[in-house]
Amino acid sequence: MDKYQLLNDKKTQAELGGGKDRIASQHKKGKLTARERVELLVDEGSFEEIGMFVEHRSKDFGLEKEIYLGDGVITGYATVNGRAIYLFSQDFTVFGGSLSETHAEKIVKIMDLAMRNGIPVIGLNDSGGARIQEGVVSLGGYADIFYRNTLASGVIPQISAILGPCAGGAVYSPAITDFIMMVENSSYMFVTGPNVVKTVTHEDVTSEELGGASAHGSKSGVTHLTYPNEVECINGIKKLLSYIPQNCEEQAPAFAYDLGDERREKLNSIIPANPSQPYDMREVIEEIADSESFFEIHKDFAENIVVGFARIAGRSIGIVANQPAVLAGVLDINSSRKGARFVRFCDCFNIPLLTLVDVPGFLPGTDQEWHGIITNGAKLLYAFSEATVPKITVITRKAYGGAYDVMNSKHIGADMNYAWPTAEIAVMGAKGAAEIIFKKEISSAENPAGKLDEMVANYTENFANPYKAAARGFVDEVIEPALTRQKLIRAFQVCETKAVKLPRKKHGNIPL
Ligand code: HXC
């Protein structure tokens, strides 16, 4: 046979994966094939495949007769919006995308190349887990990947899209990566599936309920982003990449921006006159950030804190904001975990942080205490303290108690701290404070309720404002809200050259 013909035939064979019938069955499930996904993700014509002709080495269970070129995973490099990425895309049509020794070797190879070259790795996961016929070599292959995920953590961004089943130990590679994305009704992640759950705990639960996009997007927080279909999910990867740098030595891409009138009048009217009335912190974010640039992460999980990327004058920032519209913006276990994880990502990859504060404190109760609000709240405190990127804080309203310290206060290394005139920076709310410190006066008064009101008013006037903190320099400036965007543009600009080093150590011991 003509040698070029042989090459072309092999390519055609590899491109067919598990064959036409299995491709049809993949489409029938509403799923794209591994190659279609790659095409959607990368710039047209930019994909360079590595290891197209890799074959598995199994001899058991008749597998030696079932060879599929590429062995169930497409690997290589490409560009997305002109920037390089390495990628792997598991092919469910070949042994259900299951991970064999050689399948793992292909993934390991591109991870090593990505590390050497300082380029993000995108994993498109669609796999039945360990290739059952191979046994322990498959488990070894997984561990080789987990190890590299860990070494790459904080060096290059790692993004995992879950586009099918992801079960057993296989979930732990995505779990170590920076972001997990899922698709509603076609992707699942669980350590043990519904059948095992039924046997062990007698719970009747579907795959979707147990480990679908909505379960992990809203209940467990395992997934950061969920999408109604694969096309939107892949667009989500591209969007995410636009906010982040290629590696920990680089800055995120900056977009051209011409400064104009940066005053945003609407900011003056967002805080309600009544301090106990909620408002949506996203409205504040929309006004502060460049138009339509806010990209929310973990949107449906721990909604009492809002985190996400945005741009300010064309530059990427990470935003961590209390959300007064949900549970009054209180900090609890999940919101602390969510905030901490995001802060650490931004710090790994040189993305400056903006913190918007309206927090009444930590959530009280046995549930929170017994599940470790102390350890979990400390994660957020630790993450902010440890972050050396530019850190700027705006207190819009409440900054009470320990939560004041935690939310990127001056004391834990913020570079600039602003407060709006509506800010209340105090140990606690006026009523709670008055009830404690004026307990005797109130109980011995002829009209205790009237006395309480008087003392609350007294406390409010003296303490529920930003000026005590400003007098100490804990707040650098009390600003008219409409000027916030302009102030932030300048403050982030002057911090661009920030250079802070942590004390020399092997690594810190964040309270996990
Ligand atoms: C080998 C597998 C496979 C696997 C699926 N296939 N999973 N082959 N090893 N793990 C094959 C099937 O035999 C079938 O081959 C094809 O892939 C499609 O599978 P179906 O079952 O027909 O598809 P579907 O109905 O969509 O179900 C998908 C599935 C199911 C939910 C993933 O196949 C399944 O439960 N598979 C086993 C999952 C599992 O237990 N994996 C091990 C987890 S433990 P044909 O030839 O018919 O097309 C693990 C340990 C990791 O992963 C540890 C790391 C530390």
Side-chain angles (χ1 to χ4, degrees):
M1 190 197 276
D2 180 292
K3 287 188 178 170
Y4 295 151
Q5 186 59 43
L6 176 64
L7 173 62
N8 283 335
D9 287 353
K10 275 184 171 287
K11 278 188 178 165
T12 309
Q13 193 186 336
E15 277 162 8
L16 260 185
K20 287 202 175 86
D21 290 349
R22 291 195 183 94
I23 290 175
S25 140
Q26 177 86 344
H27 285 154
K28 217 167 147 198
K29 288 180 195 154
K31 290 162 68 183
L32 298 171
T33 65
R35 283 186 191 277
E36 287 165 345
R37 289 166 181 160
V38 172
E39 267 172 42
L40 270 178
L41 174 64
V42 307
D43 296 340
E44 201 180 334
S46 71
F47 182 55
E48 294 291 342
E49 190 162 347
I50 298 174
M52 194 183 213
F53 302 142
V54 166
E55 299 175 10
H56 71 69
R57 308 183 186 108
S58 313
K59 300 270 182 282
D60 297 316
F61 307 103
L63 241 58
E64 67 278 10
K65 293 189 210 94
E66 260 195 279
I67 300 287
Y68 299 94
L69 297 182
D71 201 28
V73 64
I74 295 157
T75 51
Y77 65 96
T79 59
V80 172
N81 293 323
R83 298 164 76 216
I85 56 151
Y86 279 91
L87 66 85
F88 67 87
S89 179
Q90 292 180 310
D91 183 351
F92 193 81
T93 69
V94 175
F95 301 114
S98 59
L99 188 127
S100 66
E101 182 186 23
T102 40
H103 179 127
E105 282 171 3
K106 286 182 70 176
I107 295 176
V108 160
K109 187 190 265 186
I110 61 122
M111 291 179 82
D112 288 344
L113 285 165
M115 277 289 272
R116 267 182 238 160
N117 297 322
I119 288 170
V121 175
I122 315 297
L124 306 178
N125 297 269
D126 187 1
S127 166
R131 183 147 327 151
I132 295 167
Q133 297 91 328
E134 288 205 3
V136 71
V137 291
S138 165
L139 300 185
Y142 267 121
D144 289 338
I145 295 170
F146 302 157
Y147 182 60
R148 280 165 179 78
N149 284 136
T150 307
L151 296 184
S153 179
V155 182
I156 48 172
Q158 301 178 81
I159 300 171
S160 302
I162 313 297
L163 304 168
C166 186
V171 294
Y172 285 109
S173 170
I176 304 171
T177 64
D178 299 300
F179 292 99
I180 298 180
M181 302 179 171
M182 291 182 78
V183 174
E184 286 151 24
N185 299 311
S186 67
S187 64
Y188 311 102
M189 293 180 84
F190 31 67
V191 173
T192 52
N195 293 343
V196 177
V197 169
K198 173 83 180 153
T199 313
V200 178
T201 69
H202 309 295
E203 288 166 289
D204 263 318
V205 67
T206 63
S207 291
E208 183 65 24
E209 287 163 350
L210 183 64
S214 114
H216 287 312
S218 63
K219 290 188 166 71
S220 71
V222 164
T223 190
H224 300 82
L225 294 149
T226 63
Y227 294 94
N229 57 57
E230 292 190 18
V231 175
E232 288 193 37
C233 180
I234 289 169
N235 285 337
I237 299 174
K238 296 189 212 186
K239 187 167 180 184
L240 176 56
L241 283 168
S242 75
Y243 291 90
I244 65 182
Q246 293 291 84
N247 57 61
C248 65
E249 304 292 343
E250 293 186 12
Q251 300 293 324
F255 289 64
Y257 183 83
D258 292 326
L259 285 179
D261 178 9
E262 306 302 340
R263 196 181 157 85
R264 295 291 180 269
E265 210 57 47
K266 192 180 163 197
L267 288 169
N268 281 349
S269 55
I270 292 178
I271 306 290
N274 174 355
S276 25
Q277 210 175 306
Y279 62 96
D280 188 347
M281 191 61 101
R282 287 193 196 95
E283 282 184 43
V284 175
I285 295 171
E286 291 300 333
E287 292 300 304
I288 287 177
D290 293 358
S291 172
E292 306 206 343
S293 73
F294 184 51
F295 181 42
E296 193 168 349
I297 305 290
H298 259 150
K299 188 162 178 278
D300 302 317
F301 176 67
E303 292 167 271
N304 40 332
I305 203 162
V306 173
V307 305
F309 299 104
R311 292 195 183 89
I312 188 148
R315 303 220 161 236
S316 271
I317 56 167
I319 298 180
V320 180
N322 306 118
Q323 172 54 294
V326 179
L327 294 171
V330 76
L331 282 178
D332 59 3
I333 291 172
N334 285 346
S335 60
S336 300
R337 285 202 293 127
K338 167 175 162 178
R341 178 96 179 131
F342 186 72
V343 166
R344 290 198 112 212
F345 176 83
C346 291
D347 191 47
C348 286
F349 292 106
N350 311 318
I351 298 170
L353 284 163
L354 169 63
T355 307
L356 301 174
V357 184
D358 188 346
V359 61
F362 281 98
L363 184 63
T366 51
D367 178 67
Q368 289 289 305
E369 295 291 352
W370 295 346
H371 287 96
I373 182 63
I374 297 174
T375 311
N376 287 286
K379 287 176 184 154
L380 186 56
L381 176 55
Y382 189 108
F384 269 128
S385 302
E386 178 193 48
T388 57
V389 286
K391 298 188 289 188
I392 299 177
T393 299
V394 179
I395 302 174
T396 58
R397 193 168 61 177
K398 295 173 187 146
Y400 289 167
Y404 155 74
D405 283 339
V406 170
M407 291 303 292
N408 198 30
S409 61
K410 179 65 80 195
H411 323 273
I412 61 171
D415 298 291
M416 282 297 284
N417 295 68
Y418 296 104
W420 287 0
T422 42
E424 301 172 20
I425 308 170
V427 173
M428 58 173 70
K431 185 160 177 283
E435 279 170 349
I436 296 168
I437 56 179
F438 303 119
K439 191 174 170 188
K440 277 195 199 128
E441 287 92 324
I442 293 165
S443 60
S444 59
E446 259 179 46
N447 173 4
K451 191 74 183 168
L452 174 64
D453 289 347
E454 185 192 321
M455 293 306 178
V456 168
N458 179 316
Y459 189 89
T460 306
E461 195 182 325
N462 281 301
F463 291 95
N465 63 58
Y467 300 107
K468 289 258 186 286
R472 294 263 170 190
F474 300 164
V475 158
D476 298 297
E477 204 184 345
V478 181
I479 57 173
E480 183 193 346
L483 289 176
T484 308
R485 176 173 161 83
Q486 181 185 310
K487 297 272 177 193
L488 289 174
I489 291 173
R490 291 180 181 175
F492 277 120
Q493 207 164 24
V494 79
C495 289
E496 265 174 32
T497 45
K498 181 177 178 184
V500 167
K501 285 220 174 342
L502 295 174
R504 211 189 73 77
K505 57 178 99 169
K506 190 172 172 199
H507 61 72
N509 189 15
I510 189 167
L512 294 174

